[in-house]
Amino acid sequence: MSNHVRDNPASPYLSGEQLLNRLQDGAIGIDREAKITFINPAAWQVLGQSTEQYLGKPVADIFTAQPQSPTLNSALIQQCLEQKKSFGPYRRQQLKKSGHQTITVDFSITPLDSTTAVIIFHDVSHLERYDISLNQLPNFDPLTGLLNRDAIQQNLTELHLQHKASGKPYTVLLLDLDRFKLINDSYGHSAGDLLLQHIANQLKQLLGEREYIGRWGGEEFLCILPEVDFETGLKIAEQIRKGIANFSLSTGQREIFTTTSIGVANYSQDGKHVADILRVADAALYEAKRAGRDRISSSREKHGSFLSIATQLENALRENRIIPAYQPLIDLQTGEQVADEALARIISPDGEPLPAEQFIDAAVHLQLVHRIDYEVARQAILRCSNSVLQGESPHPHFVNISAELLRHPQLIQGILDTALQECKACGDRLGNEKPLVIEITEQALLHNLGEARKILAPFLDFGLRLAIDDFGVGYSSLNYLSDLPVSFLKIDGQLIRRVTTEPRVRAIVKGIQGIASDLDLITVGEFVEDQPTVEALREIGINWGQGYYFGKPRILHERFDI
């Protein structure tokens, strides 16, 4: 049995209403007819009258809808329940108190179960004293009542500027509830939502009013601790970790337990910019989860950690130490080199290369892989033009384009601008075909073939050719072979390694070659490591080979810059 769920026959049933009673924010339950079914203590204190005076009455008697805001009627509540999603937050609404008084609130509507929704509201009357406009009012997450991602990030940016001017430190905590998906899958999203609400409430109680707390996304929370140094931040993070570990949510005859992993980052110890602080916190959180969850991680854990690799990667990008290493592609019939592939490497400050498998996971997680792709592609183009201008015959240069890079049109345009400039310099030496080959994995294409085709269009219109990488791994599809002008098909190395020993794999590779031949595609066998594999691929009809048998990736001593 998972350590998140324990049997507890003796525990009393704790309903959604009882959990909402623990919230510091006002909560009012309403049925499908938009009539009040319960009021939590926080709401009762605001309203100033006993609960019995409100039960069964239309909720519109309490809330006065403002212009451009929906009326709290049965149609809205039924829509909320049927669609099983939250509505709001709705800004600057009026809530009636006893004695005909009104206060200004923000509120959202969230389904609690199939028959009941809950209105969670915040008293924002105090903001009117400062003449805060609607656009300046913080945006709240409708489920938890915390600041949403945009609002907490804006608060961080403003606080950063203040602390930069004063020279004072601050600390950021990025929390993620461990194995939250298991809770949702086992007990339903309503239990998961209630757990998130309680965790949000607990964070408010643990951190108090000075700190900023926001829902970063899903089951992640971001806490900003103003004027808190690194050591104090670690202690506060540990208090939060223990508090969440000691909490349990009772539902039926079971208790749901959860833990949290926390990444800690400090200004200015971990960076001088907001982006640096967030990146360190994110990398530290990833390291905490990778190390076993229910723990805290920070830049203090340097040696061999994900965070250490992420820091190396950031520094390498900043200091232009991302360079290509070139691996040859060989014609299997003639044995001659016919192309090469540019593979990313980090050069350490002492000159030692770091292979991609040691940093690519960090690059993907931190969403930096597009910057690596861009730099490697740019270097490959410059190296190609340099060799052509020195009189060498042009041959294809393969460069990897990730799905992440496809989402950055300005970088794609930068690659095209570099290619155009260098092609003009080479003139008619290039021949009819451009030597650069864009290599993209089939997984990237499968996720959004239409969008990939649209974004790849400038490359293809320019005359660059397209190669599909890792063909045959995962969920292979033939759609893109018919919908895209593919020129090269690189067969996944895991298949190539088995082609000499497993007849079924050999038959698969032979089938791929047959399709490629009919479509006039050049096939490339990856991970070729011995002569028997070469002979098997040659017999099947595979055109080219790539792997350590022909040569390891080689770093050139010169660096090419515009």
Side-chain angles (χ1 to χ4, degrees), residues 133-178:
S133 69
L134 181 62
N135 291 331
Q136 293 172 305
L137 194 63
N139 295 319
F140 293 105
D141 170 56
L143 177 65
T144 63
L146 300 177
L147 295 172
N148 63 23
R149 185 181 180 115
D150 289 342
I152 190 69
Q153 189 156 11
Q154 179 63 31
N155 275 309
L156 177 59
T157 300
E158 294 173 358
L159 181 135
H160 177 84
L161 294 175
Q162 297 170 9
H163 284 63
K164 183 178 180 180
S166 67
K168 295 179 180 179
Y170 68 83
T171 298
V172 166
L173 312 180
L174 184 59
L175 293 74
D176 184 272
L177 299 185
D178 297 326

Side-chain angles (χ1 to χ4, degrees), residues 163-207:
H163 284 63
K164 183 178 180 180
S166 67
K168 295 179 180 179
Y170 68 83
T171 298
V172 166
L173 312 180
L174 184 59
L175 293 74
D176 184 272
L177 299 185
D178 297 326
R179 299 186 178 93
F180 184 76
K181 184 177 184 299
L182 179 61
I183 295 173
N184 269 339
D185 292 345
S186 300
Y187 297 99
H189 289 276
S190 59
D193 287 349
L194 289 175
L195 179 62
L196 290 173
Q197 290 170 342
H198 184 91
I199 296 299
N201 194 41
Q202 190 170 30
L203 288 173
K204 293 178 187 177
Q205 295 174 351
L206 287 169
L207 294 177

Side-chain angles (χ1 to χ4, degrees), residues 507-520 523 540-542:
I508 291 171
V509 174
K510 189 174 181 179
I512 293 174
Q513 177 60 41
I515 294 173
S517 296
D518 290 342
L519 296 175
D520 197 24
T523 52
I540 291 171
I542 302 300

Side-chain angles (χ1 to χ4, degrees), residues 52 93 177-178 226 279 310 315 463 481 537:
E52 289 74 16
Q93 307 297 298
L177 299 185
D178 297 326
R279 190 168 289 118
N315 291 337
L481 296 185
L537 296 180

Side-chain angles (χ1 to χ4, degrees), residues 221-434:
F221 300 89
L222 186 74
C223 304
I224 308 171
L225 314 179
E227 299 183 21
V228 171
D229 60 28
F230 184 70
E231 294 297 331
T232 305
L234 289 175
K235 293 177 182 177
I236 294 173
E238 177 61 13
Q239 292 173 358
I240 293 174
R241 188 199 65 79
K242 287 182 177 178
I244 292 176
N246 292 331
F247 164 72
S248 66
L249 172 65
S250 297
T251 174
Q253 296 301 309
R254 295 178 183 271
E255 282 186 281
I256 302 173
F257 288 78
T258 189
T259 56
T260 186
S261 301
I262 305 176
V264 181
N266 175 262
Y267 173 79
S268 60
Q269 177 171 314
D270 291 319
K272 304 297 184 182
H273 307 284
V274 170
D276 297 332
I277 302 302
L278 289 174
R279 190 168 289 118
V280 170
D282 188 35
L285 172 60
Y286 183 89
E287 179 65 19
K289 298 187 79 67
R290 193 176 71 158
R293 302 179 178 88
D294 189 22
R295 63 191 64 215
I296 297 165
S297 181
S298 68
S299 57
R300 174 175 291 176
E301 294 85 32
K302 287 285 187 183
H303 182 68
S305 70
F306 177 88
L307 182 57
S308 174
I309 296 171
T311 301
Q312 291 182 57
L313 178 57
E314 268 294 321
N315 291 337
L317 284 165
R318 187 180 303 113
E319 297 165 9
N320 296 319
R321 289 189 284 104
I322 300 290
I323 67 170
Y326 297 93
Q327 186 173 34
L329 278 71
I330 305 298
D331 186 314
L332 293 178
Q333 301 302 319
T334 66
E336 296 180 354
Q337 179 176 344
V338 289
D340 59 36
E341 180 178 356
L343 302 166
R345 295 291 185 267
I346 287 178
I347 299 300
S348 67
D350 58 6
E352 291 298 317
L354 186 68
E357 58 265 23
Q358 295 187 27
F359 62 82
I360 200 64
D361 284 348
V364 172
H365 179 77
L366 298 175
Q367 298 181 344
L368 295 173
V369 72
H370 61 284
R371 292 172 58 186
I372 296 173
D373 289 346
Y374 170 77
E375 181 58 25
V376 170
R378 193 180 67 86
Q379 283 281 309
I381 293 169
L382 296 173
R383 182 236 176 177
C384 174
S385 66
N386 182 73
S387 64
V388 170
L389 290 172
Q390 290 182 0
E392 298 180 18
S393 298
H395 64 252
H397 300 278
F398 288 68
V399 295
N400 290 281
I401 298 294
S402 64
E404 183 69 20
L405 181 61
L406 295 180
R407 291 190 284 268
H408 289 79
Q410 74 279 9
L411 295 184
I412 291 176
Q413 188 59 50
I415 293 173
L416 290 172
D417 290 345
T418 302
L420 178 61
Q421 177 177 332
E422 298 307 308
C423 284
K424 287 182 177 178
C426 293
D428 57 5
R429 299 181 182 91
L430 291 179
N432 295 327
E433 292 182 329
K434 304 291 194 306

